[in-house]
Amino acid sequence: VLPPVQGIYLLHEDKEGAQKRKFSFADFFHFESFVKEHSEIEVISFEQFLKDEVVQGKLKNKIGKVVGPLMNRTNWDGMSGDNAIILNKWTRSFTTTLNFDPGMCMLAIPSKSGVEAAENLSLMAKSVSKIPADDRSSIFYNHPGPVDGEASERLKELLGERQEVCVYDDELQSAKVFHMMGSEDSGARMLTHF
C-alpha cells in the first residue's frame, strides 16, 4: 500500500508554484514493471486500500471493533500537518506495527514463511550481530559481495554499521495488515510503507 500523496522533505521548496510540490512513491518508482516481475505482489494506493478494506468493514482495531473510514474520507492525498499525524495514529490503531529506526535496525525477511524459517534467520542474525560493526564494514568496503552469495555473508554486508536485525517473524507474517513505521520522533520520512 502506497502512502497518500504528500510533501516530501526538500522537494517542496518551489516558491513560485511552477513545480509539483506533493508526491507519491509512484512518482519515483515504476510499479508496473515491478508487478510484472513479481506477480505475487500487488501495489495499491492508500485510497484503494481504504475502499477495499476499511469501507468494506474487513478490518478491526486492537479491541475487536470494526474500523470505519477516518473522518469519513478515503482520499488523503495532499494531506499535511495535523491531518498527517491524525491519519498515522488512526492507521496504527488497526495494523500490526514494527517501530524501528532503519539506521539502527535492518529488516530481514526469511526465505520461507513459518516459525522455523524465522527462527533460523534470527539465529543467523544474532551470530552476525556479534561481529563488531567496524569489522563487518571493512570486509566489504570497495569489495561488495555477490548478490547470490551465502545468506550469512549477505546479512553481514547489508547490516553494515547497524547493530540489530529486525526479523519479519511468524507474528508479523500472520498479521492482517503490517505497517512499517518510524516513530514520530525518528525523523523517518514518507518512504516507510506497509
Side-chain angles (χ1 to χ4, degrees), residues 28-77:
F28 302 98
F29 302 104
H30 195 260
F31 287 109
E32 292 82 7
S33 297
F34 179 80
V35 170
K36 282 181 186 174
E37 188 171 331
H38 304 282
S39 60
E40 65 280 0
I41 297 176
E42 181 183 4
V43 178
I44 62 171
S45 69
F46 191 74
E47 181 177 14
Q48 191 63 50
F49 167 75
L50 293 176
K51 288 177 179 177
D52 292 351
E53 300 294 327
V54 176
V55 171
Q56 300 300 317
K58 296 178 181 177
L59 298 177
K60 294 180 180 178
N61 64 18
K62 292 179 171 118
I63 59 170
K65 185 179 174 191
V66 172
V67 175
L70 178 64
M71 298 178 184
N72 211 25
R73 286 176 64 178
T74 56
N75 185 336
W76 287 85
D77 287 347

